[in-house]
């Protein structure tokens, strides 16, 4: 059976990155600690995936201070959103075809 | 197709994470049931303790009473309303907390903060509005205002939790407007809508999401 996988993106093969993007698609922005708690991952793990998403231009970072505490929040960029939606559509098609 | 379970698991994760991060789903139907029961008990208390068992308010009821008696009734009613409010909030927090523990979800998340903000803004505006009524000694529109502002706060909060809350809010608003048009029947409207509706909605939510 021929399956079209052109829409799938390697960025989202990883479940943590998949989770991050799923959250950022439905929320304007989300802060680091909330992401960590929502996905149940460690600081280091989350930070490295966020960095790779940021470097690829899929996620944008917004750093600010609440009082003296640094608060970093993340948003999906337009590119990131487009890529994720295409990925999602491809996943759904794959399942329907099988 | 060996990849199939992988994709299905991916989609399941996406759906779950999206839902949990954008909607507060620990809201318990039990909260609704008990908020309704508390409200009904409060209304019954008000009618029997302060209003001589009369369900329909009229000017004659008050004209036969002395000023100090009327003031005593007013303070009593406000205290009662405060107690009902505190009990309902405490119970709904308690049930939501229990549900979140059971489903191992967190209670204090960006989405629950948004939910609270959306609830509090109309409620706070309504609260201030009602206090202004109290100061001007305008009693007639207090019950309708409660219904209307409460309904508005539910409508505004609905995007961050179960959609069902939207209709509850809508009915509260409509009955608030009806109560404003027929002020003497305020208590009946209030007990019926706030009390019974919460119970019905609580049962509905409980049956739909928690069983």
């Amino acid at each position: 059976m021929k399956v079209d996988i052109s829409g799938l993106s390697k960025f989202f093969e990883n479940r943590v990155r998949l989770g991050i993007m799923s959250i950022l698609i439905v929320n304007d922005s989300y802060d680091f600690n909330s992401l960590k708690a929502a996905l149940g991952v460690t600081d280091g793990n989350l930070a490295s995936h966020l960095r790779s998403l940021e470097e690829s231009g899929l996620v944008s970072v917004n750093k600010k201070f609440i009082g003296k505490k640094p608060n970093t929040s993340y948003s999906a960029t337009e590119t990131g959103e487009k890529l994720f939606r295409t990925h999602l559509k491809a996943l759904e098609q794959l399942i329907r075809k099988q | 197709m060996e990849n199939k379970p992988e994709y299905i698991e991916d989609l399941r994760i996406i759906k779950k994470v999206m839902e949990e991060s954008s909607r507060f789903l620990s809201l318990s139907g039990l909260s609704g049931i008990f908020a309704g029961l508390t409200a009904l008990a409060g209304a019954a208390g008000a009618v029997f303790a302060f209003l001589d068992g009369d369900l329909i308010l009229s000017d004659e009821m008050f004209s036969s009473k002395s000023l100090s008696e009327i003031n005593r009734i007013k303070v009593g009613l406000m205290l009662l309303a405060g107690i009902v409010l505190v009990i309902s909030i405490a119970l709904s927090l308690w049930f939501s907390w229990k549900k979140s523990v059971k489903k191992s979800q967190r209670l204090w998340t960006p989405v629950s903060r948004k939910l609270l903000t959306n609830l509090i803004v109309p409620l706070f505006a309504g609260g201030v509005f009602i206090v202004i009524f109290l100061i001007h000694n305008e009693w007639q529109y207090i019950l309708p205002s409660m219904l209307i502002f409460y309904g508005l706060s539910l409508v505004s909060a609905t995007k961050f939790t179960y959609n069902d809350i939207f209709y509850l809010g809508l009915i509260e608003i409509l009955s608030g407007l009806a109560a404003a048009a027929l002020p003497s029947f305020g208590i009946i409207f209030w007990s019926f809508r706030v009390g019974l509706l919460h119970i019905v909605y609580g049962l509905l939510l409980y049956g739909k999401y928690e069983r």
Side-chain angles (χ1 to χ4, degrees):
Chain A
M1 191 196 294
K2 258 191 160 182
V3 177
D4 178 20
I5 54 163
S6 60
L8 290 178
S9 160
K10 67 177 169 59
F11 284 110
F12 308 128
E13 274 168 15
N14 178 285
R15 291 262 159 81
V16 178
R17 287 199 288 266
L18 190 76
I20 295 172
M21 284 310 284
S22 306
I23 291 176
L24 296 183
I25 290 294
V26 287
N27 292 278
D28 291 342
S29 80
Y30 226 71
D31 66 276
F32 187 87
N33 287 329
S34 302
L35 276 174
K36 196 176 87 176
L39 298 170
V41 291
T42 61
D43 274 24
N45 192 358
L46 180 60
S48 79
H49 286 300
L50 280 169
R51 204 176 314 118
S52 85
L53 285 170
E54 188 195 348
E55 279 162 6
S56 319
L58 306 184
V59 159
S60 65
V61 185
N62 182 18
K63 284 189 177 146
K64 61 178 180 204
F65 280 84
I66 295 178
K68 277 187 174 174
K69 271 188 169 171
N71 180 290
T72 313
S73 63
Y74 299 85
S75 308
T77 62
E78 215 171 297
T79 323
E81 192 169 337
K82 218 178 273 171
L83 200 65
F84 184 78
R85 291 206 187 279
T86 318
H87 182 80
L88 193 58
K89 214 176 279 169
L91 278 181
E92 281 165 351
Q93 266 165 9
L94 262 177
I95 284 165
R96 226 170 290 138
K97 274 183 186 169
Q98 281 174 355
Chain B
M1 290 284 147
E2 60 201 33
N3 279 336
K4 190 178 175 183
E6 190 96 358
Y7 293 138
I8 289 177
E9 181 61 12
D10 274 4
L11 273 177
R12 197 190 63 78
I13 290 176
I14 294 172
K15 192 169 167 273
K16 179 170 167 279
V17 169
M18 279 185 169
E19 207 169 61
E20 282 180 5
S21 69
S22 63
R23 281 176 191 267
F24 179 72
L25 303 178
S26 297
L27 197 68
S28 173
L30 292 175
S31 312
I33 299 174
F34 281 92
L37 290 175
T38 319
L40 282 184
V47 166
F48 291 111
F50 300 112
L51 304 172
D52 310 330
D54 262 333
L55 278 176
I56 296 167
L57 304 178
S58 61
D59 289 338
E60 293 87 68
M61 250 176 81
F62 292 104
S63 57
S64 64
K65 290 181 166 45
S66 69
L67 201 64
S68 66
E69 221 175 334
I70 290 178
N71 279 331
R72 190 186 62 82
I73 292 176
K74 286 176 176 175
V75 172
L77 285 176
M78 279 188 280
L79 276 177
L80 192 64
I83 293 170
V84 167
L85 185 70
V86 169
I87 293 179
S88 323
I89 292 178
L91 282 176
S92 74
L93 284 177
W94 162 251
F95 284 119
S96 292
W97 178 73
K98 274 185 69 172
K99 188 176 170 188
S100 76
V101 168
K102 199 169 129 196
K103 296 178 74 184
S104 59
Q105 287 170 345
R106 289 154 313 122
L107 213 51
W108 193 239
T109 60
V111 65
S112 70
R113 288 193 279 274
K114 279 185 208 159
L115 175 75
L116 271 183
T117 318
N118 276 268
L119 269 176
I120 284 171
V121 170
L123 274 187
F124 183 76
V128 173
F129 195 54
I130 287 166
V131 168
I132 293 172
F133 275 147
L134 287 174
I135 292 170
H136 289 287
N137 229 359
E138 288 281 353
W139 286 75
Q140 209 173 358
Y141 295 109
I142 289 181
L143 283 180
S145 315
M146 282 180 178
L147 289 169
I148 293 171
F149 281 98
Y150 180 55
L152 288 174
S153 81
L154 289 182
V155 167
S156 104
T158 195
K159 16 184 209 304
F160 301 109
T161 182
Y162 299 110
N163 286 329
D164 312 62
I165 302 298
F166 176 78
Y167 299 100
L168 179 59
L170 218 55
I171 301 170
E172 304 273 358
I173 295 173
L174 289 177
S175 57
L177 294 173
L182 302 164
S184 320
F185 296 93
I187 288 207
I188 298 180
F189 275 110
W190 193 87
S191 322
F192 170 69
R193 312 294 164 159
V194 177
L196 290 183
L197 277 178
H198 270 91
I199 296 173
V200 169
Y201 257 80
L203 286 171
L204 208 87
L205 280 185
Y206 191 75
K208 212 162 149 185
Y209 304 107
E210 285 164 68
R211 274 196 315 146

